[in-house]
């Protein structure tokens, strides 16, 4: 699937803005055919936004089930000869879409794009009614999983991941036009040969048997540097400008379907020329070792919840730069493509994660009350879930494969991984990822409950991604013991001849709480926990990256472990620094204050 784009042959119309909106607490909308007329009792809703925090009504924040969005749209009059596509960058977690009375697409999974060709149901220059039913329910067969529990007050959604179950249309909605014969997909991979870059592409087209494919490559100054014909072909860029950490140099491939001199369809794909390789305990980009600094993040903001907003993204990016972060993990789901575009342009390194989080009833038992469930079983996470999981891995890679910033695929966060059932569940999923992309390391994020020697899934990882809370969830307040235990465990992982990135470590911290001697929850203790971790990382060559949990405080489900959400942020939820931010700025950039 390509992104909506304005080119010589394609046009876009953004449908973000105000839509009509209705809750469907009793799930009657489909039977009553709400798509066929104005939504009953509708109010207004902003798109994109999570709907939960826009109101003051607890029933809205706690709503379990479908909500409906509706608006009219006029199809541009110039699109009469084109295909008309309706494209959603994401809708969380499941969506069904109607154009007037016709159902045009259904999609499951809250963080990846989907679209429908609606040409047959609309007319250029005429209006149509768009209706979208968005469902926030999670089950054992969704990624992430959850379960609906009945209660005297109605259904309650349980889930085992530590972030609030925001829902709604979280990213832009588009109408776009494309020609009848068109480009459907493009995959670009790169290599380096001496001073030159080698660019290999594969272009998939529809209804284009009699057409040829032409690819023209431009550098960042818009100078043409290579041109070749062929749907699967290669070009050489002499004296190539590499994409490097911190310097996101981008080329653009203009892909054209041509009939002689006539351009039938055209699409632009940016890319960077760089290589990634794991060599023993080193992670190499362009054959040079890299060390990752940065954070596990969240798409999470006051009021708009999980919606993407360019302005807020820029504030996050400014904080990342200020502190000296060169990387981030899209914990715990695929982020907006605009985040990856930004990372591409600025040379940020991204660990790109699927939404497979909360697949660990052992962990859930402690924090989220998952007692009584078995993680992998015919009644819980089962073969059907595994198929959905495989598809989400394919879809993530299909969406993000051309982003040079993406350097590692993470296929899950902290699943159960110490059991035979886990080994059987995950083995084929690593194969799925490697079949979809053989150019990047594949991994998953290991949890503390499956430490070195116990984990049965890490054997499949190209690189170890470890989340460890020494000094917080274990050895709380006792950093001497924490450091001793951490070193003992790290020695095990470091003996495996694979690189290690610590993808989570940290401590909940209330901004403004100061204590000497430092105690958990104080700003001083957060710094002490970081320093203890840094001593451990700095004494193992196999550690090639440190990503703190979390970039900023974020919303969670309510519970006795959370005070107004998760407070492990180095920045507050409104992106102001806690004391630890200055410590990190010194470590990562050498800048005092
Ligand atoms: C974890 C999870 C993350 C949580 C974090 C915490 O291990 O991966 O989603 O938010 O711990 O703060 O407990």
């Amino acid at each position: 699937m390509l992104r909506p784009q304005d080119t010589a042959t394609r046009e876009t119309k953004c449908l973000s803005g105000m839509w009509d909106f209705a809750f469907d607490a009793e799930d009657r909308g489909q039977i009553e055919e709400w798509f066929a007329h104005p939504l009953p009792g509708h109010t207004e809703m902003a798109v994109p936004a999570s709907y939960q925090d826009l109101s003051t009504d607890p029933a809205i924040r706690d709503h379990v089930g479908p909500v409906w969005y509706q608006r009219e749209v006029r199809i541009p009059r110039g699109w009469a000869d084109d295909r008309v596509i309706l494209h959603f960058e994401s809708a969380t977690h499941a969506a069904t879409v109607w154009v007037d009375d016709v159902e045009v697409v259904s999609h499951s999974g809250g963080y990846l794009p989907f679209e429908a060709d609606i040409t047959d149901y609309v007319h250029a220059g005429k209006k149509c009614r768009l209706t979208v039913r968005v469902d926030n329910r999670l089950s054992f067969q969704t990624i992430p999983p959850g379960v609906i529990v009945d209660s005297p007050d109605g259904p309650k959604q349980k889930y085992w991941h530590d972030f609030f179950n925001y829902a709604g249309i979280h990213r832009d909605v588009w109408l776009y036009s494309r020609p009848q014969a068109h480009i459907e997909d493009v995959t670009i991979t790169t290599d380096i040969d001496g001073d030159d870059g080698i660019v290999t592409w594969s272009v998939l087209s529809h209804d284009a048997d009699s057409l040829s494919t032409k690819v023209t490559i431009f550098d960042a100054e818009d100078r043409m540097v290579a041109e070749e014909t062929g749907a699967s072909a290669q070009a050489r860029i002499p004296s190539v400008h590499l994409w490097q950490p911190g310097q996101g140099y981008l080329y653009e491939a203009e892909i054209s379907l041509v009939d002689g001199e006539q351009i039938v369809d055209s699409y632009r794909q940016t890319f960077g020329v760089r290589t990634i390789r794991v060599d023993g305990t080193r992670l190499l980009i362009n054959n040079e070792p890299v060390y990752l600094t940065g954070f596990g993040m969240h798409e999470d903001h006051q009021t708009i919840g999980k919606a993407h907003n360019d302005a807020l993204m820029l504030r996050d990016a400014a904080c990342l730069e200020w502190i000296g972060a060169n990387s981030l993990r899209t914990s715990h789901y695929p982020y907006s493509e605009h985040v990856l575009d930004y990372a591409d342009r600025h040379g940020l390194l991204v660990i790109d994660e699927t939404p497979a989080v909360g697949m660990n009833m052992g962990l859930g038992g402690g924090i989220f009350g998952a007692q009584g469930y078995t993680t992998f079983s015919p009644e819980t996470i089962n073969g059907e879930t595994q198929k959905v999981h495989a598809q989400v891995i394919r879809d993530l890679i299909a969406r993000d494969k051309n982003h040079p910033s993406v350097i590692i695929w993470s296929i899950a966060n902290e699943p159960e991984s110490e059991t035979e059932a886990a080994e059987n569940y995950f083995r084929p999923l690593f194969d799925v990822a490697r079949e979809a992309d053989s150019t990047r390391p594949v991994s998953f994020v290991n949890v503390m409950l499956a430490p070195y020697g116990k984990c049965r899934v890490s054997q499949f990882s190209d690189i170890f991604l470890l989340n460890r809370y020494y000094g917080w969830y274990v050895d709380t307040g006792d950093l001497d013991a924490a450091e001793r235990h951490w070193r003992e465990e790290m020695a095990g992982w470091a003996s495996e001849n694979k690189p290690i990135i610590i993808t989570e470590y940290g401590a909940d911290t209330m901004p403004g709480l100061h204590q000497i001697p430092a105690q958990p929850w104080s700003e001083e203790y957060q710094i002490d926990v970081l320093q203890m971790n840094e001593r451990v990382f700095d004494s193992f060559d196999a550690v090639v990256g440190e990503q703190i949990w979390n970039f900023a405080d974020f919303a969670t489900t309510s519970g006795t472990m959370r005070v107004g959400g998760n407070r492990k942020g180095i920045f507050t939820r409104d992106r102001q620094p806690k004391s630890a931010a200055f410590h990190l700025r010194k470590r990562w950039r050498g800048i005092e204050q």
Side-chain angles (χ1 to χ4, degrees):
M1 190 191 307
L2 297 180
R3 293 168 72 176
Q5 204 175 77
D6 283 298
T7 72
T9 59
R10 295 167 174 243
E11 279 175 31
T12 64
K13 175 168 174 157
C14 187
L15 303 184
S16 297
M18 297 302 263
W19 290 51
D20 291 344
F21 182 78
F23 283 92
D24 185 8
E26 279 142 41
D27 199 359
R28 292 206 315 259
Q30 248 165 325
I31 299 164
E32 294 176 1
E33 305 195 334
W34 286 10
F35 49 82
H37 44 72
L39 298 176
H42 62 80
T43 55
E44 291 180 302
M45 183 51 60
V47 171
S50 298
Y51 54 78
Q52 281 93 343
D53 288 355
L54 301 190
S55 139
T56 53
D57 181 353
I60 291 178
R61 190 172 159 90
D62 298 338
H63 171 75
V64 176
V67 296
W68 292 68
Y69 292 76
Q70 195 172 64
R71 63 166 280 172
E72 281 193 335
V73 58
R74 189 179 293 279
I75 309 296
R77 61 192 170 144
W79 292 8
D81 296 331
D82 290 322
R83 308 299 304 177
V84 179
I85 315 298
L86 178 60
H87 180 101
F88 291 79
E89 291 184 11
S90 75
T92 313
H93 292 282
T96 305
V97 183
W98 291 262
V99 172
D100 293 326
D101 293 355
V102 184
E103 181 180 323
V104 292
V105 65
S106 247
H107 179 260
S108 236
Y111 304 95
L112 287 169
F114 57 97
E115 64 181 26
D117 184 329
I118 60 170
T119 319
D120 294 347
Y121 317 114
V122 296
H123 301 281
K126 296 262 161 55
K127 286 203 283 195
C128 66
R129 188 179 54 246
L130 297 183
T131 309
V132 189
R133 175 185 185 270
V134 178
D135 198 332
N136 68 354
R137 283 174 290 189
L138 298 170
S139 76
F140 278 113
Q141 278 65 54
T142 58
I143 300 286
V147 71
I148 308 274
V149 180
D150 285 329
S151 86
D153 324 309
K156 309 270 178 193
Q157 176 76 65
K158 299 270 172 221
Y159 49 92
W160 307 285
H161 51 266
D162 183 31
F163 55 92
F164 187 72
N165 189 34
Y166 281 118
I169 301 182
H170 280 154
R171 299 176 193 157
D172 283 334
V173 183
W174 298 89
L175 264 190
Y176 72 92
S177 70
R178 68 181 175 207
Q180 304 286 345
H182 56 261
I183 302 158
E184 258 185 354
D185 193 26
V186 49
T187 308
I188 295 185
T189 56
T190 61
D191 207 347
I192 304 169
D193 182 24
D195 285 345
D196 298 350
I198 308 292
V199 185
T200 307
W201 61 84
S202 151
V203 176
L204 205 69
S205 297
H206 174 81
D207 200 11
D209 288 351
S210 59
L211 307 176
S212 9
T213 307
K214 196 173 89 181
V215 175
T216 314
I217 297 174
F218 298 91
D219 68 11
E221 287 75 43
D222 216 21
R223 287 180 300 237
M224 189 181 110
V225 292
E227 189 163 48
E228 278 303 330
T229 306
S232 292
Q234 210 170 62
R236 176 174 287 266
I237 304 179
S239 304
V240 73
H241 195 139
L242 294 177
W243 188 96
Q244 304 268 27
Q247 296 164 37
Y249 191 91
L250 294 177
Y251 289 91
E252 187 172 276
E254 188 175 73
I255 300 141
S256 310
L257 278 185
V258 292
D259 185 0
E261 289 299 294
Q262 194 209 337
I263 297 175
V264 176
D265 189 18
S266 122
Y267 185 80
R268 298 184 321 267
Q269 179 64 58
T270 51
F271 64 94
V273 178
R274 57 112 185 87
T275 60
I276 299 174
R277 206 157 51 86
V278 166
D279 175 38
T281 58
R282 301 184 310 163
L283 175 64
L284 303 177
I285 297 191
N286 304 332
N287 296 318
E288 297 286 336
V290 282
Y291 189 91
L292 272 60
T293 59
F295 302 94
M297 303 196 47
H298 264 302
E299 291 187 310
D300 174 271
H301 285 277
Q302 236 120 33
T303 310
I304 64 169
K306 288 207 144 353
H308 173 77
N309 174 281
D310 279 340
L312 295 172
M313 176 185 76
L314 284 183
R315 174 68 189 181
D316 284 3
C319 292
L320 289 174
E321 197 197 328
W322 175 86
I323 207 167
N326 67 8
S327 75
L328 61 99
R329 176 167 61 118
T330 72
S331 39
H332 297 306
Y333 37 81
Y335 288 4
S336 159
E337 291 155 86
H338 301 282
V339 174
L340 298 181
D341 292 342
Y342 182 92
D344 288 349
R345 290 195 298 274
H346 295 268
L348 274 170
L349 306 172
V350 176
I351 301 177
D352 202 358
E353 190 155 278
T354 71
V357 57
M359 304 175 81
N360 195 332
M361 301 306 149
L363 189 68
I367 304 181
F368 307 111
Q371 289 92 338
Y373 294 111
T374 306
T375 306
F376 299 103
S377 79
E379 293 75 38
T380 54
I381 297 176
N382 58 19
E384 203 186 316
T385 321
Q386 191 192 35
K387 280 191 202 139
V388 177
H389 197 156
Q391 194 54 43
V392 90
I393 292 172
R394 287 188 204 100
D395 290 348
L396 172 71
I397 295 178
R399 191 194 72 161
D400 293 347
K401 62 191 170 186
N402 294 321
H403 286 284
S405 56
V406 173
I407 58 161
I408 296 167
W409 302 115
S410 163
I411 66 170
N413 179 70
E414 296 195 344
E416 177 176 305
S417 66
E418 68 280 21
T419 57
E420 188 183 358
E423 182 176 337
N424 293 336
Y425 178 91
F426 278 104
R427 184 188 294 106
L429 295 181
F430 278 83
D431 296 339
V432 165
R434 292 196 171 99
E435 268 161 36
D437 179 18
S438 60
T439 71
R440 291 174 177 90
V442 179
S443 190
F444 83 110
V445 176
N446 162 281
V447 64
M448 209 158 177
L449 291 180
Y452 180 69
K454 292 238 172 79
C455 182
R456 297 178 62 150
V457 176
S458 301
Q459 55 174 320
F460 306 122
S461 293
D462 296 314
I463 179 164
F464 296 135
L465 306 179
L466 308 180
N467 290 355
R468 289 297 180 276
Y469 286 97
Y470 289 103
W472 186 254
Y473 290 123
V474 296
D475 299 323
T476 319
D478 181 354
L479 292 180
D480 291 334
E483 181 165 346
R484 199 167 56 248
H485 292 141
W486 199 181
R487 282 181 187 278
E488 275 163 23
E489 195 198 346
M490 185 76 94
W493 292 104
S495 69
E496 290 284 319
N497 198 33
K498 288 184 189 180
I500 302 167
I501 298 172
I502 312 307
T503 35
E504 286 185 27
Y505 61 105
D508 281 276
T509 303
M510 288 308 282
L513 177 64
H514 292 283
Q515 280 177 325
I516 40 175
Q519 284 292 299
W521 292 96
S522 68
E523 297 208 29
E524 287 72 20
Y525 190 76
Q526 189 176 38
I527 297 175
D528 287 352
V529 165
L530 298 187
Q531 285 179 322
M532 181 280 287
N533 273 278
E534 289 156 8
R535 284 194 295 277
V536 177
F537 305 161
D538 292 348
S539 44
F540 289 92
D541 288 342
V543 174
V544 301
E546 52 191 58
Q547 292 187 330
I548 293 153
W549 193 255
N550 186 284
F551 169 69
D553 293 347
F554 59 89
T556 61
T557 181
S558 48
T560 51
M561 309 271 287
R562 299 288 174 252
V563 187
N566 186 307
R567 296 302 194 132
K568 294 194 185 69
I570 295 299
F571 293 89
T572 56
R573 200 176 184 213
D574 58 354
R575 275 54 175 177
Q576 297 301 337
K578 299 183 192 172
S579 303
F582 297 94
H583 161 74
L584 287 169
R585 190 164 191 244
K586 171 115 194 347
R587 174 170 166 87
W588 290 344
R589 293 191 63 182
I591 297 177
E592 295 273 5
Q593 285 302 311

